[in-house]
């Protein structure tokens, strides 16, 4: 299983997740931490640069870690970059379907995708699965967005159901909490441990 890691903030280094994945190997790190116009929205210049980098990354990982929920719009770019992807499924505590008005954001990226490539949910195609970990209860994961009440086992069960019924081609995962937004050591440790369990689970079903 190949993985890609989008570094937009310091969250993965603060958790130790970047270091953990680096030691495991077979991971591409795409570092955009110095790129302006990316926090919660994606400027046109930033989008052009991200697209250029993705074009050079072939193949990308079929599991993509895309930083915190502030950068969930990367799901749109990743999904649209795959010519054969036509079955996007979202697991999120928010619909991310605000009106799109010429600027891509973490709150309207689903609308943007539907404008660019109408979501047809083909029954014959495997799912491109986008997961925002704010779907989880704070007992299992900590973010800077309001969270759902799902347990980790419930999330695993949902993913397994999708894998069995439709198949899963690609997964991207966002969510987290940086120290700059209030993360404490115990928050970072909890999030690291949950990511590890999620990765172990995905390694078994993909």
């Amino acid at each position: 299983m190949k993985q890609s890691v989008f570094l937009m903030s310091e969250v993965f280094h603060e958790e130790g997740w970047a270091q953990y994945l680096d030691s495991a190997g077979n991971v591409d790190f795409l570092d955009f931490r110095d790129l302006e116009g990316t926090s919660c929205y994606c400027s046109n210049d930033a989008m052009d640069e991200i697209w250029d980098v993705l074009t050079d990354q072939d193949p990308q990982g079929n599991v993509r870690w895309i930083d915190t929920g502030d950068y969930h719009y990367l799901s749109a770019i990743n999904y649209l970059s795959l010519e054969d992807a036509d079955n996007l499924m979202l697991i999120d505590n928010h619909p991310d379907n605000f009106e799109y008005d010429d600027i891509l954001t973490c709150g309207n990226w689903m609308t943007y995708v539907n404008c660019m490539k109408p979501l047809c949910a083909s029954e014959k195609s495997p799912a491109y699965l986008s997961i925002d970990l704010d779907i989880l209860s704070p007992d299992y994961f900590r973010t800077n967005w309001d969270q759902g009440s799902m347990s980790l086992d419930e999330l695993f069960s949902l993913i397994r159901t999708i894998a069995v019924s439709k198949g899963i081609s690609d997964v991207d995962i966002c969510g987290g909490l940086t120290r700059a937004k209030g993360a404490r050591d115990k928050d970072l440790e909890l999030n690291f441990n949950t990511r590890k369990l999620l990765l172990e689970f995905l390694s078994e079903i993909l």
Side-chain angles (χ1 to χ4, degrees), residues 80-96:
L80 292 171
S81 72
L82 301 174
E83 293 183 2
D84 58 349
D86 63 359
N87 194 4
L88 174 62
M89 301 186 73
L90 175 65
I91 301 176
D92 196 328
N93 196 45
H94 310 88
D96 292 350

Side-chain angles (χ1 to χ4, degrees), residues 72-110:
H72 202 172
Y73 61 78
L74 288 169
S75 293
I77 300 174
N78 276 303
Y79 175 74
L80 292 171
S81 72
L82 301 174
E83 293 183 2
D84 58 349
D86 63 359
N87 194 4
L88 174 62
M89 301 186 73
L90 175 65
I91 301 176
D92 196 328
N93 196 45
H94 310 88
D96 292 350
N97 61 354
F98 291 150
E99 182 179 355
Y100 173 69
D101 187 20
D102 295 327
I103 189 73
L104 180 63
T105 75
C106 60
N108 70 13
W109 69 271
M110 283 288 287

Side-chain angles (χ1 to χ4, degrees), residues 142-153:
R142 309 282 167 78
T143 79
N144 60 305
W145 298 91
D146 60 294
Q147 294 186 226
S149 58
M150 187 176 285
S151 71
L152 194 56
D153 284 344

Side-chain angles (χ1 to χ4, degrees), residues 19-180:
Q19 298 89 320
Y20 176 78
L21 291 180
D22 191 33
S23 67
N26 203 29
V27 178
D28 287 331
F29 287 90
L30 310 178
D31 194 344
F32 297 108
R33 285 175 291 178
D34 292 331
L35 184 61
E36 296 182 356
T38 62
S39 182
C40 293
Y41 76 100
C42 188
S43 70
N44 291 332
D45 288 343
M47 183 182 289
D48 289 343
E49 184 160 343
I50 293 169
W51 269 108
D52 287 344
V53 171
L54 289 185
T55 300
D56 293 337
Q57 294 291 322
D58 187 25
Q60 300 171 49
N62 64 327
V63 174
R64 301 174 175 87
W65 302 91
I66 57 173
D67 214 277
T68 73
D70 294 349
Y71 306 94
H72 202 172
Y73 61 78
L74 288 169
S75 293
I77 300 174
N78 276 303
Y79 175 74
L80 292 171
S81 72
L82 301 174
E83 293 183 2
D84 58 349
D86 63 359
N87 194 4
L88 174 62
M89 301 186 73
L90 175 65
I91 301 176
D92 196 328
N93 196 45
H94 310 88
D96 292 350
N97 61 354
F98 291 150
E99 182 179 355
Y100 173 69
D101 187 20
D102 295 327
I103 189 73
L104 180 63
T105 75
C106 60
N108 70 13
W109 69 271
M110 283 288 287
T111 306
Y112 175 78
V113 167
N114 203 33
C115 289
M116 300 298 292
K117 184 178 184 178
L119 299 172
C120 61
S122 169
E123 294 183 0
K124 296 182 180 180
S125 300
Y128 180 107
L129 187 58
S130 183
I131 303 170
D132 191 331
L133 293 174
D134 68 12
I135 196 72
L136 293 172
S137 157
D139 291 337
Y140 299 93
F141 201 79
R142 309 282 167 78
T143 79
N144 60 305
W145 298 91
D146 60 294
Q147 294 186 226
S149 58
M150 187 176 285
S151 71
L152 194 56
D153 284 344
E154 288 171 329
L155 176 59
F156 288 172
S157 179
L158 177 56
I159 297 171
R160 185 180 292 108
T161 297
I162 295 170
V164 170
S165 64
K166 302 195 67 62
I168 297 174
S169 61
D170 301 85
V171 179
D172 69 41
I173 303 140
C174 75
L177 188 64
T178 61
R179 290 192 183 277

